[in-house]
Amino acid sequence: MRQHEPAIEFTHEVTGDTPPQRIFVARSRLPASSETAFAWHERPGALQRLLPPWDRTMVRSQIGGIRDGGRIELSVSAGPARVKWIALHQNYRPPHQFEDRQLEGPFDEFVHTHRILATGNGTSELEDAIRYRLPFGRVGDWLANRLVRRKLEQMFRYRHETTRRDLAAAAPSQGVAPMNI
């Protein structure tokens, strides 16, 4: 991370359930109000913008955006294979929260809650909280947890940095009429 970029905080928790449910949280400050940051996430193409170039995830279809009932179908890499991932958007509460829940995909359970919390002075905090269970019970958790943790941290570092940079780049031009050249 560059010295002038704000930190992204990661936390990991695990429940005592069998198989264990894991909770991953990524948090960072954004140089925009919660309303502006939420609107950025609602834009067409926002998800594509947040997909790391090294990840090889492809959006196959998207219906309804991030509002309740919106659906997205992804093709994700799982080693040498491709896996279909279908997610349903729910709990849409502008300008602070939306959620996507895996209906079909590589996890036994995957619920991603996006929160944008107002922090005052035109800034906000972006929080991505993911509750997930890996397939194949305790054995799958033991085999894949470190890889999944590392991948989540890499992916959400990219997503938070991309969101922050996009919002910072847009900030000077907000409220200014476009110029003709």
Side-chain angles (χ1 to χ4, degrees):
M1 178 171 24
R2 293 184 198 107
Q3 205 170 29
H4 66 279
E5 292 180 354
I8 300 167
E9 175 188 327
F10 300 114
T11 59
H12 299 270
E13 298 176 29
V14 63
T15 66
D17 298 343
T18 303
Q21 181 184 64
R22 299 212 171 252
I23 302 166
F24 167 81
V25 179
R27 283 186 197 89
S28 66
R29 285 285 185 135
L30 297 176
S33 68
S34 58
E35 293 82 6
T36 299
F38 195 88
W40 185 94
H41 282 85
E42 288 186 298
R43 289 184 357 209
L47 174 62
Q48 289 84 342
R49 181 85 177 106
L50 294 175
L51 296 175
W54 66 84
D55 192 51
R56 297 184 358 198
T57 295
M58 295 181 283
V59 177
R60 295 287 186 205
S61 68
Q62 190 170 10
I63 301 166
I66 65 172
R67 293 176 184 264
D68 290 348
R71 291 172 65 103
I72 186 154
E73 181 181 328
L74 305 171
S75 175
V76 298
S77 58
R82 306 286 308 165
V83 176
K84 181 192 297 186
W85 186 324
I86 298 176
L88 175 71
H89 282 99
Q90 59 190 24
N91 295 323
Y92 176 82
R93 296 186 185 116
H96 301 292
Q97 177 179 300
F98 65 98
E99 200 169 75
D100 45 271
R101 179 173 51 90
Q102 176 193 280
L103 300 177
E104 179 182 335
F107 291 85
D108 278 358
E109 174 187 19
F110 192 96
V111 179
H112 177 186
T113 304
H114 310 252
R115 288 187 189 93
I116 302 171
L117 312 165
T119 54
N121 295 326
T123 65
S124 56
E125 180 180 81
L126 174 60
E127 178 186 276
D128 287 288
I130 298 171
R131 294 186 330 266
Y132 65 96
R133 287 184 205 275
L134 295 168
F136 310 114
R138 286 202 177 276
V139 172
D141 188 76
W142 183 78
L143 289 171
N145 178 51
R146 285 188 182 171
L147 173 67
V148 170
R149 281 177 68 150
R150 187 170 50 247
K151 188 168 182 173
L152 286 171
E153 286 187 8
Q154 290 170 343
M155 178 179 292
F156 282 92
R157 178 170 281 109
Y158 177 85
R159 286 178 167 214
H160 280 235
E161 288 174 355
T162 298
T163 305
R164 184 191 55 74
R165 280 194 302 266
D166 282 7
L167 290 169
S173 64
Q174 290 178 359
V176 176
M179 298 188 324
N180 292 325
I181 298 178

